[in-house]
């Protein structure tokens, strides 16, 4: 049931009882905010208006809790490592990692530092949390998943939005890839460390492009793009508008976090980001030894960089498991950071730790990540972005940004353009970026922070996770195909309009298919069926269109190739089941690694004993023998969103066009599945001439409650890469009432 549709509780409008604006669960953290109004557009997207900034933050929290109470509860419990208490044993893996990496504790430390150093931003975050607490009970009452799991929402503390942000992005930079590279080095030698270097399914990516005014129909800039993340139900981005006397901003919020961190339009300025693919988290091999202290207490020490054994902070925590036994977790932290891989008596079996030391100590891995080191997430940028009037304002706001590291596009109505990197990247030894490094070696210590690059905008600017502006800060980048294709498409016109940007979003040309197909003409003595298949594949237009049967045939051929590569003896030492914590296993399986790195593996000289032509030829024969299916790509390439609790009444998820290296980046996992769980988590077009001509879409809808009118009403449009209009005229919106 949607707010305003015979609901028993709704957001407060001007003139309502001010007491109803305070936290519904427990005492409010700050003063009672001013009253506020809630409006909805035809898509159920909330437009919030308040007489002051704190009241607006409160309204954002309250409406988000009403619309997405279940999502907020799941994210809050994942952030503090307690999701197994209602989701069951399958969630223990994540909860253990969340506790051992100290996500919630890091959020508390960051919030305490914010209170001391930036009380205004701390008050703004508190106002949002008060709003969440005011809306949770009503939001939970409208979502049956609470009753189904026996979960009762508990009041938030002010640090929870920071914890949700950290938990959302802790794996964003893909530090588990360093565990994979360590496996590769052991199996194939150090020269092969980056053999599989590419962006894979576990790395968040994005497309983004900015077209200056001299190439648009209006004479003002257009910013467009789409973040690529795992698709979740409810969606990971929330369309929203925030208006008060100081600003009127619309954009895409992360539910549970105030403001509009990644994508926003203030009317006179707009910004958008993509993943910079920077490396800013390190893994340290720690040597630990245990002893007994006073009263029989366990004492743990780590070998420090000066050769002295240092005290290690230690305590235990208990994970409550619905339908299972409680799990006790040991939490250790060295001077480098939290220990996230425990030796458990067999250090040689753990990824990245090597053989057991001769001194009888055990080896573990610790994680060093900027928010825990700096006690800062850069949240001061969030309210500053809302107040931005110009590109210069956006630029100044992002100078303090920390996590994650992003490439930014921004433009304003005065013609200003911005293309820069924002975020905290440590300066340290180059080896730190590649693999776990010894904690006892002082050359691997952090030594300050890298400058963030910026470039002048000449012509249009494109960001698609490829090497470019952020190259000095990273190791693995996306192939250039998406970026090159976007540039090619943009070069085809000098009069771009917002509506025309949908054609760029939906492009399905798969340039990464070429190296595989290029081998086919050289094969002789093929069976008739294989010759026919070769002719068909070479005539294919390289487009992964939803209705294309040739795309399906190519995917089958690619799958057969990937599986044959994975079975080659040269990769035998990488083919076993991963060791170490299961939360890192998605980065450590050979088959998907080969699937995403296939293009490079077809041409690299690093593994000369790999008979590529023989494998591709055999895959062609295998695919031909199986018969060429006349099945449209969208019938096998279907959306499979993540749900914390599977919904037995979920809609049939749509089939999609596109693929991982297409601009329409709907990622299958070659060699494993044609289904897609990672795709555009939102699409946006920001028009700097007339904000009301901007467009956007999300995979599902504005409401997080299954079965409501606006839960999935954008899904079919999103599947076709169509966008819905941004509504800015308050007279065209429907005001909520109690």
């Amino acid at each position: 049931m949607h707010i305003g549709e015979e609901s028993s509780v709704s957001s407060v409008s001007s003139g309502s009882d001010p007491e109803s604006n305070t936290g519904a669960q427990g005492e409010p953290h700050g003063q009672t905010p001013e009253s506020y109004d809630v409006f909805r557009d035809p898509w159920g997207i909330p437009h919030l208006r308040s007489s002051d900034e704190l009241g607006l933050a409160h309204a954002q929290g309250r409406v988000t809790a009403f619309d997405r109470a279940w999502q907020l509860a799941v994210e809050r419990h994942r952030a503090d490592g307690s999701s197994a208490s209602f989701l069951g044993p399958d969630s223990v893996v994540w909860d253990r990692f969340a506790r051992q990496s100290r996500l919630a504790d890091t959020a508390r430390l960051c919030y305490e530092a914010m209170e001391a150093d930036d009380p205004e931003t701390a008050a703004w975050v508190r106002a949002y949390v008060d709003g969440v607490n005011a809306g949770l009970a009503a939001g939970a009452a409208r979502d049956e998943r609470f009753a189904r799991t026996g979960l009762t929402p508990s009041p938030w503390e002010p640090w929870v939005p920071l914890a949700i942000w950290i938990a959302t992005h802790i794996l964003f930079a893909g530090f588990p890839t360093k565990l994979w590279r360590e496996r590769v080095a052991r199996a194939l030698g150090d020269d092969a460390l980056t053999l599989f270097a590419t962006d894979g399914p576990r790395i968040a990516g994005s497309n983004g492009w900015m077209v200056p005014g001299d190439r648009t129909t209006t004479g003002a800039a257009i910013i467009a793009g789409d973040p690529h993340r795992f698709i979740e139900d409810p969606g990971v981005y929330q369309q929203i508008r925030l208006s008060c006397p100081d600003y009127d901003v619309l954009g895409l919020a992360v539910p549970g976090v105030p403001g509009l961190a990644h994508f926003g339009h203030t009317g006179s300025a707009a910004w958008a980001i993509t993943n910079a693919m920077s490396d800013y988290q390190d893994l340290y091999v720690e040597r630990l030894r245990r002893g007994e202290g006073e009263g029989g207490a366990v004492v743990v020490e780590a070998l420090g960089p000066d050769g002295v054994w240092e005290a290690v902070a230690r305590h235990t925590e208990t994970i409550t498991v619905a339908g299972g036994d409680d799990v006790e977790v040991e939490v250790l932290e060295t001077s480098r950071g939290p220990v996230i891989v425990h030796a458990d008596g067999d250090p040689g079996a753990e990824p990245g730790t090597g053989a057991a030391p001769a001194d009888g100590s055990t080896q573990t891995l610790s994680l060093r990540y900027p928010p825990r080191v700096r006690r800062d997430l850069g949240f001061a940028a969030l309210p500053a972005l809302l107040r931005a009037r110009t590109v210069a304002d956006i630029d100044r706001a992002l100078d303090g940004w920390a996590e994650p590291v992003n490439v930014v596009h921004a433009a304003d109505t005065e013609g200003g353009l911005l293309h820069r990197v924002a975020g905290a990247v440590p300066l340290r030894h180059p080896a730190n970026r590649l693999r776990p490094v010894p904690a006892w070696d002082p050359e691997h210590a952090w030594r300050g922070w890298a400058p963030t690059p910026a470039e002048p905008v000449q012509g249009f600017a494109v960001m698609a996770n490829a090497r470019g502006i952020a190259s000095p800060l990273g190791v693995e980048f996306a192939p250039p195909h998406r970026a090159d294709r976007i540039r090619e498409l943009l070069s085809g016109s000098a009069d771009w309009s917002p509506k025309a940007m949908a054609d760029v979003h939906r492009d399905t040309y798969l340039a990464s298919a070429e190296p595989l197909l290029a081998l086919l003409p050289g094969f002789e003595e093929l069976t008739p069926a294989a010759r026919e298949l070769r002719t068909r594949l070479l005539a294919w237009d390289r487009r992964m269109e939803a209705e294309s049967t040739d795309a399906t045939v190519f995917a089958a051929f690619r799958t057969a190739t990937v599986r044959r590569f994975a079975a080659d003896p040269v990769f035998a030492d990488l083919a076993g089941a991963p060791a170490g914590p299961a939360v890192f296993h998605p980065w450590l399986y050979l088959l998907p690694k080969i699937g995403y790195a296939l293009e490079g593996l077809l041409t690299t000289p690093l593994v000369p004993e790999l008979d590529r032509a023989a494998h591709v030829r055999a895959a062609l024969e295998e695919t031909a023998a199986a018969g060429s299916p006349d099945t449209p790509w969208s019938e096998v390439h279907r959306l499979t969103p993540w749900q914390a609790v599977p919904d037995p009444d979920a809609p049939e998820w749509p089939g999609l066009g596109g693929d991982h290296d297409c601009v329409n980046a709907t990622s299958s996992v070659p060699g494993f599945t044609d289904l897609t769980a990672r795709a555009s988590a939102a699409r946006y077009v920001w028009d700097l001439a007339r904000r009301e001509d901007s467009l956007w879409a999300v995979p599902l809808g504005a409401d997080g409650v299954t079965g409501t009118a606006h839960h999935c009403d954008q899904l079919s449009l999103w599947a076709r890469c169509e966008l819905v209009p941004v509504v800015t005229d308050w007279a065209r919106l429907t005001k909520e009432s109690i």
Side-chain angles (χ1 to χ4, degrees):
M1 181 172 58
H2 206 59
I3 297 178
E5 297 175 353
E6 300 180 1
S7 60
S8 58
V9 179
S10 75
S11 297
V12 177
S13 58
S14 297
S16 300
D17 179 5
E19 289 299 315
S20 62
N21 270 359
T22 63
Q25 304 179 43
E27 293 298 321
H29 293 101
Q31 297 180 347
T32 301
E34 298 295 327
S35 59
Y36 49 83
D37 296 321
V38 179
F39 298 79
R40 303 274 181 176
D41 69 11
W43 300 95
I45 296 167
H47 295 241
L48 311 179
R49 189 165 64 187
S50 177
S51 58
D52 81 334
E53 188 176 42
L54 292 184
L56 185 60
H58 186 281
Q60 184 184 6
R62 183 170 182 180
V63 169
T64 301
F66 191 92
D67 287 358
R68 295 167 178 252
W70 171 254
Q71 182 179 23
L72 296 193
V74 170
E75 295 305 321
R76 179 261 173 88
H77 283 281
R78 281 177 56 82
D80 64 17
S82 58
S83 60
S85 65
F86 64 101
L87 296 179
D90 288 347
S91 294
V92 170
V93 167
W94 171 265
D95 286 353
R96 179 184 285 111
F97 168 70
R99 290 169 185 257
Q100 290 181 332
S101 57
R102 313 219 65 193
L103 303 185
D105 185 68
T106 301
R108 293 186 191 97
L109 293 173
C110 289
Y111 185 79
E112 289 170 2
M114 185 194 303
E115 277 193 306
D117 301 334
D118 186 4
E120 289 187 1
T121 300
W124 180 72
V125 174
R126 281 199 306 274
Y128 179 88
V129 169
D130 289 340
V132 169
N133 286 332
L136 272 177
R142 57 193 294 267
D143 198 315
E144 58 84 24
R145 287 170 287 194
F146 285 92
R148 192 176 356 152
T149 59
L151 177 64
T152 300
S154 53
W156 283 26
E157 294 298 323
W159 51 265
V160 171
L162 285 74
I164 288 176
W165 189 262
I166 294 171
T168 299
H169 296 99
I170 187 65
L171 297 174
F172 195 83
F175 71 80
T177 302
K178 296 178 182 181
L179 302 176
W180 170 254
R181 292 196 202 109
E182 188 69 26
R183 292 189 71 192
V184 172
R186 291 184 192 175
L188 302 174
D190 286 356
D191 289 344
L193 266 175
T194 57
L195 176 63
F196 297 89
T198 186
D199 69 325
R202 291 285 166 175
I203 301 295
S206 303
N207 295 321
W209 58 93
M210 182 165 60
V211 181
D214 60 358
R215 294 171 177 263
T216 69
T217 57
T218 63
I222 296 174
I223 298 175
D226 57 313
H228 307 151
R229 297 197 177 204
F230 280 92
I231 306 302
E232 300 181 9
D233 179 11
V236 299
Y237 282 111
Q238 171 196 30
Q239 298 153 297
I240 198 167
R241 182 183 183 186
L242 307 172
S243 179
C244 66
D246 290 335
Y247 50 76
D248 183 342
V249 190
L250 58 85
L252 300 164
V254 173
V257 179
L260 304 167
H262 286 161
F263 310 96
H265 196 325
T266 71
S268 61
W271 69 91
I273 62 94
T274 65
N275 184 356
M277 309 297 283
S278 298
D279 183 89
Y280 51 88
Q281 302 161 323
D282 282 352
L283 292 175
Y284 286 90
V285 181
E286 302 276 2
R287 287 184 182 172
L288 302 185
R289 68 183 186 185
R290 293 173 182 266
E292 186 175 309
E294 292 185 13
V298 176
V299 175
V300 184
E301 295 178 315
L303 184 62
D306 56 2
V308 176
W309 290 93
E310 307 169 338
V312 173
R314 178 191 179 274
H315 70 275
T316 60
E317 299 181 9
T318 300
I319 299 174
T320 301
V321 183
D325 296 332
D326 290 353
V327 176
E328 186 175 274
V329 176
E330 183 182 48
V331 180
L332 301 174
E333 185 164 10
T334 74
S335 297
R336 271 65 57 196
V339 173
I340 59 168
V341 174
H342 289 228
D344 295 330
D346 186 12
E350 298 296 343
T353 58
D359 60 7
S361 61
T362 58
Q363 289 193 357
T364 62
L365 290 177
S366 64
L367 172 66
R368 190 167 179 82
Y369 59 104
R372 190 150 187 87
V373 174
R374 294 161 57 103
R375 305 292 195 260
D376 179 30
L377 279 172
F379 263 40
L382 301 183
L385 285 170
L386 296 176
R387 303 184 194 111
R389 298 288 195 273
T390 66
V391 156
D393 295 335
I394 294 170
D395 196 18
R396 281 191 297 271
L398 292 174
D399 281 341
W401 187 244
E403 166 98 5
V405 180
N406 297 320
V407 177
V408 181
H409 283 164
D412 61 33
T413 54
E414 298 176 4
L417 301 172
L418 177 67
H419 184 197
R420 64 163 293 178
V421 177
V425 179
L427 293 169
R428 73 276 207 218
H429 193 282
N432 290 38
R433 295 184 181 181
L434 293 172
R435 62 201 302 180
V437 293
W440 54 89
D441 188 339
E443 74 174 356
H444 295 293
W446 287 12
R447 309 181 192 283
W449 304 95
T452 50
E455 291 180 352
V457 177
Q458 298 176 337
F460 40 75
V462 176
M463 49 187 187
N465 317 120
R467 290 190 180 275
I469 188 172
S471 294
L473 305 178
V475 176
E476 298 194 5
F477 294 86
H481 306 307
R482 286 186 285 118
D484 289 347
R485 182 61 175 169
I486 292 169
R487 290 189 185 95
E488 179 183 353
L489 293 170
L490 294 178
S491 297
S493 174
D495 57 351
W496 285 99
S497 68
K499 288 184 178 180
M501 290 300 172
D503 290 335
V504 180
H505 278 115
R506 68 170 58 96
D507 189 79
T508 63
Y509 186 77
L510 188 68
S512 61
E514 187 56 36
L516 179 57
L517 298 177
L519 293 175
L520 299 186
F523 296 151
E524 299 178 357
E525 299 182 2
L526 295 172
T527 63
R531 287 199 301 271
E532 182 179 348
L533 176 58
R534 176 174 64 181
T535 299
R536 180 177 182 179
L537 287 170
L538 292 176
W540 173 48
D541 61 7
R542 304 334 191 239
R543 294 181 180 274
M544 303 297 284
E545 292 288 341
E547 65 276 9
S548 172
T549 58
D550 289 342
T552 308
V553 171
F554 170 76
F557 169 50
R558 181 178 59 184
T559 287
T561 302
V562 168
R563 290 177 178 173
R564 288 184 175 274
F565 272 47
D568 192 285
V570 72
F571 299 126
D573 290 340
L574 297 171
V583 71
F584 305 136
H585 286 184
W587 282 266
L588 304 176
Y589 281 109
L590 176 64
L591 193 65
K593 283 291 185 181
I594 287 180
Y596 282 96
L598 180 61
E599 182 181 7
L601 291 172
L602 287 166
T603 57
T604 180
L606 289 176
V607 280
E609 61 270 44
L610 180 65
D611 193 338
R612 300 160 179 80
H615 288 317
V616 173
R617 179 192 179 103
L620 183 70
E621 291 284 4
E622 176 188 333
T623 308
S628 299
D630 287 324
T631 304
W633 177 228
S634 59
E635 287 193 15
V636 297
H637 189 56
R638 306 191 71 84
L639 179 65
T640 55
W642 180 82
Q643 297 173 310
V645 174
D647 178 14
D649 299 320
E652 181 180 3
W653 301 110
L656 304 172
D659 201 28
H660 184 72
D661 288 324
C662 301
V663 178
N664 184 9
T666 56
S667 298
S668 60
V669 186
F672 179 69
T673 182
D674 290 329
L675 298 173
T676 182
R678 178 183 181 269
S680 297
R683 296 188 179 99
Y684 59 89
V685 178
W686 299 149
D687 185 8
L688 271 300
R690 286 169 39 92
R691 187 171 67 166
E692 56 267 37
D693 289 338
S694 298
L695 303 162
W696 54 5
V698 293
L700 297 175
D703 200 330
V705 180
T706 303
T708 56
H710 299 298
H711 176 234
C712 285
D713 56 339
Q714 296 181 51
L715 180 60
S716 61
L717 295 171
W718 171 87
R720 299 192 299 269
C721 294
E722 297 179 14
L723 298 99
V724 303
V726 165
V727 179
T728 59
D729 184 354
W730 294 98
R732 295 176 55 200
L733 305 174
T734 301
K735 187 176 180 180
E736 299 285 345
S737 60
I738 294 179

